Every structure is written in C-alpha cells, then in structure tokens.
Amino acid sequence: MKQELCKLADIPASGTLLVPFFGRELHVFRRGEQVRAVANTCLHFGGPLSCDDQELVCAWHGARFSLDSGKRVSGPSPKNSRLMTISTRVEGDALFYVWEE
Ligand code: FES
C-alpha cells in the first residue's frame, strides 16, 4: 500500500520540507541521491524539530539529531536514540509512504 507524501520537485536541495502525515508531520529531505523522511518528533518528550544545517534540533530542550543517520548528537534525548524513519519509495515525480509490501 502507498500514500503520496509530496512531489519530488518540492523537496529543497538543502534543509527539509515539512509534510503532513496522519495528523502529524514528517521532515522530508535529500541526502545525495536519496530522499528520506523522518518523524518531526523529538525522542525526549516529543517536541517539534527544526532543521539547522546538517542536524534537526528540538525546540523544547535543544536535543540535536544527525540528518545523515537520525542518531542523537547531543541533548537530553536517550544516548543511542534515533529518529523514526518512514519507509518511502520514489515513483514518477512523487515520494510515497509505503507499508505492508
Ligand atoms: S522534547 Fe526534545 S529535547 Fe526535550
């Protein structure tokens, strides 16, 4: 099954695009030839994240996560925590969330 998240043309070359996701949000971004999507949810207490160059930064208590790996870089989130990555696939001119495949 699949659901369109966004058009590829809308994803910026740097930074992220916020897209709605079942009442929540995802950060969609490019890493080289790949496109990735992670939940806009901090792993400390669920705060919203904003993009700061190569990291996503929590607005509530400042936890930082790597865009490359999703892993916590610093802050109060658990040491080995990693942002939730959403399973996606590019088809035509769009990025889709895919599940049960
Ligand atoms: S909720 Fe993100 S650092 Fe606390």
Side-chain angles (χ1 to χ4, degrees):
M1 301 176 73
K2 65 182 181 182
Q3 176 165 333
E4 184 174 323
L5 294 173
C6 64
K7 298 297 184 193
L8 295 176
D10 293 334
I11 305 170
S14 62
T16 67
L17 172 69
L18 274 177
V19 301
F21 186 71
F22 299 104
R24 299 182 180 222
E25 289 181 320
L26 300 175
H27 282 276
V28 176
F29 53 96
R30 299 178 184 277
R31 303 314 276 171
E33 297 297 313
Q34 294 186 331
V35 177
R36 296 187 190 157
V38 298
N40 183 22
T41 305
C42 178
L43 297 168
H44 181 222
F45 282 136
L49 307 167
S50 61
C51 185
D52 176 17
D53 193 23
Q54 301 302 308
E55 296 175 348
L56 291 174
V57 183
C58 180
W60 289 358
H61 313 106
R64 301 180 78 90
F65 301 89
S66 165
L67 273 178
D68 282 329
S69 66
K71 290 181 180 176
R72 169 196 171 270
V73 174
S74 63
S77 176
K79 278 199 172 173
N80 293 318
S81 58
R82 183 188 300 238
L83 295 174
M84 182 188 304
T85 300
I86 306 304
S87 146
T88 60
R89 182 172 62 229
V90 172
E91 280 187 25
D93 66 347
L95 181 71
F96 291 83
Y97 166 51
V98 293
W99 72 98
E100 293 183 355
E101 292 188 355

